[in-house]
Amino acid sequence: MSASTDLACYAGRWLQVFYRPGKAFADLEKGQSSAEWMLVLILVMSVVLCAGIVTIPVALDRERALIETEFRSYSDLSADQQSGILREAVKFDHRQLIGLLVMPASVCFMVFAWSVVGKHCGELIFGKLLPYGKVLPIAGYASLVLVPETIVKTSLVLLSGSLDPPIHPGWFLDDADPETLWSLFLSGVDFFGIWFLFLLGLGLAQTFRGSARLTWLALGLVWGMWIVIRRTFELLGTVYV
């Protein structure tokens, strides 16, 4: 097939991930290629990078607002000094550049990390060995969820001005109990993360020829432990810093 025919075939399969994931993973298992899942990775990384570029003004505005708030504690600074500090703070420099580069790099890390988790969970549950060459494309396909996630979150960032818009069950909890253990946990359970685990578990179960429910349970336990650990460290950081 020509390159254009290959891309059309790939694009059709990528779209099926959102409305016929079982068919998409079945087709992937029959005729997968390293080029295809690498293209998926490039696509997702590009979307995430573009979102980072678009939201830079929001990040700079937020940094400016934080510095202006801190100025209230430093009454000895003159107006010229404050103006100079603010000018430097809202400039695009190496800090923002590093932040932009970290965003697509984090996509690679996520795909490879969940490939490792998925491979070993599947092998532990079903007692079958599976090479990474079979698992990486599945994680790559599941990562396509980051495309609608990035679009939705970027839209919310631009509309609300918040860099961390709530897209989790904790958003529906009563504001009177924001510090309970349950609410802290739920705030880490991202809806798009659930979608990602659903797709990853479905693809792994199909490839391992095993139970999707067992796969989802294993992945969910790993994800739940990660949420607890991450939220605990975030909470400790707010207490001791």
Side-chain angles (χ1 to χ4, degrees):
M1 289 191 295
S2 65
S4 59
T5 305
D6 284 341
L7 284 175
C9 180
Y10 295 162
R13 196 146 59 195
W14 299 345
L15 288 174
Q16 282 186 331
V17 170
F18 299 108
Y19 65 92
R20 293 183 67 188
K23 176 70 164 55
F25 285 118
D27 290 346
L28 178 66
E29 190 178 2
K30 293 175 185 175
Q32 63 170 309
S33 67
S34 56
E36 180 177 358
W37 79 264
M38 288 297 291
L39 284 173
V40 168
L41 202 56
I42 291 171
L43 170 65
V44 176
M45 289 169 63
S46 300
V47 172
V48 170
L49 180 61
C50 290
I53 294 172
V54 169
T55 55
I56 282 177
V58 178
L60 293 177
D61 287 343
R62 183 176 180 182
E63 186 170 355
R64 181 188 181 95
L66 288 172
I67 292 174
E68 288 177 339
T69 302
E70 289 181 0
F71 280 160
R72 298 170 188 170
S73 304
Y74 298 94
S75 56
D76 56 332
L77 289 176
S78 66
D80 290 339
Q81 288 175 320
Q82 292 183 9
S83 178
I85 293 172
L86 286 174
R87 265 198 315 272
E88 291 298 320
V90 298
K91 280 184 179 179
F92 181 84
D93 55 21
H94 66 280
R95 294 172 302 164
Q96 284 78 28
L97 180 60
I98 292 173
L100 285 177
L101 295 177
V102 165
M103 293 176 71
S106 65
V107 174
C108 289
F109 176 78
M110 184 200 76
V111 170
F112 284 106
W114 278 107
S115 295
V116 173
V117 171
K119 169 181 163 63
H120 292 291
C121 282
E123 290 176 350
L124 182 65
I125 295 171
F126 305 117
K128 301 176 184 177
L129 296 179
L130 203 66
Y132 281 109
K134 289 281 189 180
V135 181
L136 280 169
I138 297 172
Y141 261 46
S143 72
L144 283 168
V145 169
L146 288 173
V147 174
E149 176 184 3
T150 303
I151 293 172
V152 170
K153 287 188 175 181
T154 302
S155 301
L156 290 175
V157 167
L158 295 176
L159 289 172
S160 67
S162 170
L163 292 174
D164 188 25
I167 308 181
H168 50 72
W171 185 58
F172 298 103
L173 294 177
D174 187 357
D175 290 337
D177 297 318
E179 299 300 327
T180 62
L181 182 62
W182 183 239
S183 64
L184 286 172
F185 174 77
L186 285 182
S187 63
V189 182
D190 190 279
F191 289 128
F192 288 99
I194 296 173
W195 191 2
F196 170 81
L197 288 188
F198 169 78
L199 292 176
L200 181 62
L202 184 66
L204 289 172
Q206 190 163 308
T207 305
F208 274 105
R209 302 292 188 272
S211 167
R213 290 185 179 180
L214 282 176
T215 311
W216 288 328
L217 177 61
L219 294 176
L221 287 174
V222 173
W223 191 43
M225 287 189 294
W226 164 244
I227 290 172
V228 170
I229 293 171
R230 187 188 67 191
R231 296 295 295 170
T232 299
F233 275 102
E234 288 176 356
L235 182 60
L236 289 174
T238 59
V239 171
Y240 293 109
V241 175

